[in-house]
Amino acid sequence: MSKKTDTTRRAIVGATLGVGLGIGSLSLLAPVISLRPKKVVNPEDEPPKEGDLLVFATGDKTGQEITIDDLPLGGPEVLAYPKDPQSGVVKSGEKNNLVLLIRLDPAELSEEVKQYAADGTVCYSAICTHLGCAVGEWDAQRGLLLCPCHKGLFDPRKGAEVVGGPPPRPLPTLPIKLENGKPVVAGGFTSPPGVLAGTEAAGGSCTI
Ligand code: FES
């Protein structure tokens, strides 16, 4: 056997052993990897999902399910959290789960808003897209949602588009439907709720 052939054979054997050992090491690692704790999401932090009910987030009725009769026609808005109807868990652990409900004349809603609304009632994220304050005030004169922190104004008839102040984008919509006289979540947010990455670092944040 030539010297060259012998060297090649040793290289092949070495590579085969290396692969074998590699596979062996990986199979040894597998149980360790599977033992790593999985990321557990607290049920209170889960995002809203189809079928969730909506409960009062503030006031005397905190935690009670909201009915359409609780929403005054023409505003103001009511702050709410989603509630899992099966487990009864109110999803108040995640700041971006705070939403607002407002009942308006269906004839005033834009065509796009109508597809996410139920009988004139619309639901938006209540976390201001500027620096994260709660959009919890109502400008009754102009019929606009008001964020008190820096006077951000949103038009609930037109998809919560920004009509005043510094917010960089509309409030995301949470589609709803009506079931037994109650507004119920019909799907996820149309865009990510809250302050988008980068904005907070640049300008600080508000507290609710
Ligand atoms: S946080 Fe709402 S306008 Fe600044």
Side-chain angles (χ1 to χ4, degrees), residues 68-76 102-108 119-121 138 157:
I68 201 76
D69 295 333
D70 290 315
L71 305 170
L73 183 62
I102 185 158
R103 189 172 161 210
L104 301 163
D105 180 349
E108 294 178 358
D119 200 19
T121 299
W138 177 240
R157 296 163 187 81

Side-chain angles (χ1 to χ4, degrees), residues 2-181:
S2 73
K3 192 173 173 189
K4 189 177 171 192
T5 308
D6 191 43
T7 307
T8 307
R9 200 175 61 177
R10 265 189 273 134
I12 291 170
V13 171
T16 308
L17 272 175
V19 170
L21 282 174
I23 291 170
S25 309
L26 281 178
S27 62
L28 281 175
L29 274 178
V32 178
I33 291 168
S34 66
L35 282 176
R36 259 197 225 146
K38 286 194 184 124
K39 195 181 170 206
V40 178
V41 180
N42 187 324
E44 293 182 358
D45 300 342
E46 294 273 4
K49 67 168 193 321
E50 185 171 358
D52 281 355
L53 295 162
L54 292 154
V55 301
F56 286 92
T58 57
D60 295 344
K61 294 183 174 178
T62 297
Q64 287 183 28
E65 291 169 12
I66 297 170
T67 70
I68 201 76
D69 295 333
D70 290 315
L71 305 170
L73 183 62
E77 73 268 46
V78 168
L79 294 177
Y81 281 118
K83 173 183 162 180
D84 187 310
Q86 266 84 46
S87 64
V89 170
V90 176
K91 299 175 176 176
S92 56
E94 163 56 49
K95 174 180 172 178
N96 286 338
N97 284 349
L98 185 68
V99 295
L100 63 87
L101 283 161
I102 185 158
R103 189 172 161 210
L104 301 163
D105 180 349
E108 294 178 358
L109 304 183
S110 71
E111 286 309 308
E112 196 191 343
V113 172
K114 276 182 191 164
Q115 61 181 309
Y116 301 119
D119 200 19
T121 299
V122 278
C123 185
Y124 295 108
S125 165
I127 302 301
C128 185
T129 53
H130 181 219
L131 295 176
C133 289
V135 182
E137 293 189 12
W138 177 240
D139 182 329
Q141 257 189 343
R142 290 181 282 182
L144 297 171
L145 301 163
L146 170 65
C147 174
C149 287
H150 312 99
K151 307 275 182 267
L153 286 165
F154 304 87
D155 188 342
R157 296 163 187 81
K158 296 180 181 168
E161 70 176 27
V162 181
V163 290
R169 64 188 180 105
L171 301 171
T173 305
L174 188 67
I176 55 162
K177 54 190 175 184
L178 284 186
E179 283 182 6
N180 304 318

